[in-house]
Amino acid sequence: MLLNQFLILAAFLFCTGAYGVLARKHAVLVLMSIELMLAGVNLNLVAFGAFHNSELGQVFALFVLTIAAAEVGIGLAIVLLIYRNLHSADLDDVDTMKG
Amino acid sequence: MFFLDYAWLVPLIPALSFVVILLFGKRMPRHGSEIGIVAVGASFVLSCGAAIRWIMRVQDAKSADAPVLPVLHHVTWFQNGGVRLTAGIQIDGLAVMMMFVVTIISLLVHIYSLEYMRGDRRYTYFYAALSLFTASMLLLVVADNTLQLLIGWELVGVCSFMLIGHWWEEKPNSDAALKAFLTTRTGDIGLLTGVIMTFFVVERATGVGSFNIIALNAAASNPGNRVGHTLILWCALALLLAIMGKSGQFPLHTWLPDAMAGPTPVSALIHAATMVVAGVYLGARVYPVFFHGLSIADGGINPMAAVGGITVLIGAALAFVQDDIKKVLAYSTISQLGYMVMALGVGAWTAAVFHLFTHAFFKADLFLGAGSVSHSGSHHSFDMKKDMGGLRKYMPQTYATFVIGSLALAGIFPLAGFWSKDEILANAGFDNYKLFLVIGLIGAFMTAAYMTRCVYLTFHGEYRGAHDPHAIGPADEAEHDPIDTEESIELDVHLHPPHESNRLITVPLWVLSFFAVFAGFLNFPHFSKFERWFQPRFPAEFAGLPTLAHPAAFNAILAAISVLIAGSAIGIVWAYYQGKLPQGLSERNAVAGAGKRFLVNKYYLDYLYENIIVAGIKGPIAAGVYWFNQNVIDNVLNYTGRGARALGQFTYDYVDQKGVDGLVNEIGTITGDSGGEVRKLQTGRLQFYALMLVVAVVIFAGALWIFA
């Protein structure tokens, strides 16, 4: 298998995730899109690791997974609090910092 | 050589006494007079010492014509590029003689004033002013440069003003003081310009300007090409104007008679013996300037002799019509000063200075005698016709001294005036100045005549004053202090009968009479000590003054003629008063009457000065200047003010409100608006920010890819 097949797939995942972060209204969907971006990155890392016969890629991907998990926890907590205060999970409504 | 080297003490001691009297005089037992007398006495002793030392110095010279250098000391107080301003002394025969005269007469006047000014309202200031005057006159006399002389000159003018106006509460006295000061000031214009010009005379001659008198005399004695005769002529004319002012020459003599408003001791000291001769002294000191500037050696007529000659005659003429004894003496002084200036003008230096010397004594004698008469004989009045007469019975000593003084003044052999006046006449006659010989003889006649009139009206005939103790006394022309203190009321009861004065008054009179009799012998022919001792014999100066080196010899015929003339004048006037000659001529004859009126009005000179010259300047010029001030100057100011206001308004409206404020406001607006635009980036929406992030990353990646 060629390397750039994996990279293309990872890029595809990443861009899909980026699109989702930028364009979705619902906060949970944005979080899901972030997960997608992270997945793409993980795939990239593992692909490079496998290609160079190094376990360093997988180690790094493990780190990323851990942080993703923690981040999701906190992210959901924030979304929950936003819903409690604004009675809506729509990100367009969170504009208190508007200048 | 102490007395000559330390001669600067002579002016210093009275100056210090002036300060001490002002500070402590009122508290002292005799109100300051003791300080004044001690100080002037000390100066007198030092002057005598200086005189004796100088005479010894002259006697030690190798021959009769050898040069005897003056004693010079000076301190430089300012220096700039070769020009040095000094304060110093030049002690030679002339200075020593003047010091002697000034100090002895000042001392006698101080003693006299103890009695005369007793109880006066400003006794202490009087003595302070006398000290200051003595110090100033001595400063003038010992000066070695014309600047110091000018300072002394001005100071004596100020002291004269102070002393004439001693009783300034009465307006005529302060008017007289002002008149004296301003008239002499007119002459001082000449002095100032003359001193400045002489500075440049020295500069042209030697390359470095200086006020030093010896340098000036040397420069003037050899005019040559570098200095030029015209400059010296102008200097001489300017200094002649100064002499006219200070020494009461025609036409600036009008202040002297009015100056008689001051106390009599002041008149004796200042206006007879010392201050008025400051002009003659100036002439004698810088004589080469006059001699070469006015070409005195040539004979004929020159301005100095002419001024002196005219003064002799008009002064003497005016003395005939005065009722006030002091005014007779004042005009007599004017006339005698005329003699001195005339003598300088005809080249008779020694005669002029000798006459100055003798005149000081007998004129002071006469003035103090007049004061004695007023003090004790005529209830403080000086009016001969109203309040005097027949006083020789009551005041024998005053009479004797007064007569001695009068005879000396008239020039009767062998009194002092004879020798000095005769020397003037001799020099005038034999140096191509015959006109002035004639003037001098006429003047001698008139002098003897008016003095005889004066003596007769005062001392002979019947007593005309009021002396009845129960009668009311006369108040006109009273000179004594009208505001009496407690003391003085007891001491000077107004209506006592005439009596002889106190010893404090008569002793000075006798001392002066002694000098009036014997001072003349100093220049007895072939004995000629005055000439030998006091004539300057500095080699560089006075070159080319033949008469100075060898004054005209004593001429017995001329002497006899002058005595005869004086004697006949006395005889004629005496006969007139005895009734042997026609009386009342001026009432019966229109011409004589007009002549007398002309004299009584003092040639209408005062009218000319005050109503024509001064009013003519005051009136139109003052009106013109006022118009100029109101219309031109004020308008300039007003329009300037208005213009400034308009400019200010414009600046406010356009520059400040619109310009500066507009600029500042615009900056604010721009800032605000741009802020408003940038603000739109702050949407507060998360996804918008995230979009910005992504866009930035894309751009950076692109840039990195293109450039790396």
Side-chain angles (χ1 to χ4, degrees), chain A residues 21-22 24 92 94 98-99, chain B residues 679 682-685 687 691:
Chain A
V21 165
L22 295 175
R24 308 309 302 180
D92 286 338
V94 184
K98 182 173 175 148
Chain B
R679 194 193 200 197
Q682 303 277 3
T683 55
R685 291 184 297 137
Q687 283 164 322
L691 182 60

Side-chain angles (χ1 to χ4, degrees), chain B residues 504-516:
Chain B
L504 284 171
I505 288 186
T506 51
V507 167
L509 286 177
W510 281 112
V511 172
L512 288 168
S513 299
F514 171 80
F515 279 105

Side-chain angles (χ1 to χ4, degrees), chain A residues 70-91:
Chain A
E71 175 219 331
V72 162
I74 294 173
L76 280 172
I78 291 173
V79 170
L80 200 63
L81 278 174
I82 287 173
Y83 186 78
R84 276 196 201 161
N85 286 318
L86 296 174
H87 295 291
S88 148
D90 187 350
L91 276 180

